[in-house]
Amino acid sequence: MSKDSWKPMPILADPKMALVVGHLPNSPIGPISIWATPNGVIRLTIGGSIIEISSEGTGLKKARSILHQALDEVAAYLAGQLRQFRVPLDWLVVSPSSRPILEYTYTIPFGEVRTYGEIAAHLGRPKAARAVGSAMAHNPIPLIIPCHRVIGSDRTLHGYGAGEGLPTKVWLLQLEGHQIVNQRVA
């Protein structure tokens, strides 16, 4: 299994709430699994084993609708046909300390990058670049929350926990029009 393989889901706030999962088994960056609740996408993994789970519960129809939207949008993004995700997100699994960081990361436009320090400064914590890095490392919804668009202050690429790691980050940045030379955004 890859380093982004299955990790246990936290218990949902309402155990009767529906949770559904769908897959893009043959994406250009490896198999993708997406989990959704009636509130939005809660998790996305790249690579690793395909996990089958099913859940019946409140909001099953809405959860399935969100899942299908997410699968369609991710497929369109990877084909170069989508620049902005519109699928709702369920922030349940994001810690309160990471949420503002990931919410800001979610707003980074297609084709643009930000540094860890720029994000920290934007959030009023200019010395918190490491906290930004930690939030990126624990991002439960990569691609949709585009942590691949976050780079070092010298424009070098730092770790990427999804898919095959840095090669996946390079592929995504190149998809968005960036030239990568020696693990650095040119």
Side-chain angles (χ1 to χ4, degrees):
M1 284 191 173
S2 78
K3 55 189 158 187
D4 193 48
S5 61
W6 168 254
K7 295 175 188 150
M9 291 291 297
I11 297 171
L12 295 173
D14 179 354
K16 294 179 183 174
M17 183 184 293
L19 176 67
V20 295
V21 64
H23 311 286
L24 295 172
N26 299 312
S27 90
I29 56 174
I32 294 175
S33 296
I34 301 173
W35 286 261
T37 71
N39 299 324
V41 173
I42 198 166
R43 181 140 175 83
L44 183 150
T45 60
I46 304 168
S49 301
I50 300 274
I51 302 299
E52 293 297 335
I53 62 172
S54 62
S55 168
E56 298 292 326
T58 306
L60 186 59
K61 183 176 179 181
K62 175 126 175 143
R64 284 185 177 146
S65 174
I66 289 169
L67 176 63
H68 289 294
Q69 179 184 354
L71 290 166
D72 289 346
E73 287 185 12
V74 168
Y77 167 78
L78 293 172
Q81 301 167 344
L82 181 81
R83 292 177 169 252
Q84 181 178 355
F85 290 98
R86 297 198 186 321
V87 67
L89 303 181
D90 185 340
W91 295 92
L92 176 70
V93 298
V94 176
S95 73
S97 61
S98 293
R99 186 166 174 170
I101 296 167
L102 294 177
E103 284 178 338
Y104 177 76
T105 303
Y106 179 70
T107 69
I108 300 171
F110 180 96
E112 294 186 20
V113 294
R114 300 289 186 276
T115 69
Y116 298 94
E118 286 172 336
I119 293 172
H122 175 82
L123 297 172
R125 299 175 52 207
K127 297 188 188 277
R130 285 185 188 219
V132 171
S134 178
M136 296 303 124
H138 296 97
N139 177 2
I141 314 171
L143 291 183
I144 297 173
I145 300 175
C147 54
H148 62 277
R149 297 178 186 154
V150 182
I151 61 174
S153 59
D154 60 357
R155 301 192 62 81
T156 58
L157 304 183
H158 293 272
Y160 189 67
E164 297 297 318
L166 283 180
T168 301
K169 186 170 188 165
V170 168
W171 192 93
L172 294 168
L173 289 169
Q174 289 174 333
L175 172 70
E176 296 188 12
H178 293 282
Q179 185 177 25
I180 309 299
V181 178
N182 296 323
Q183 300 296 322
R184 181 181 217 152
V185 177

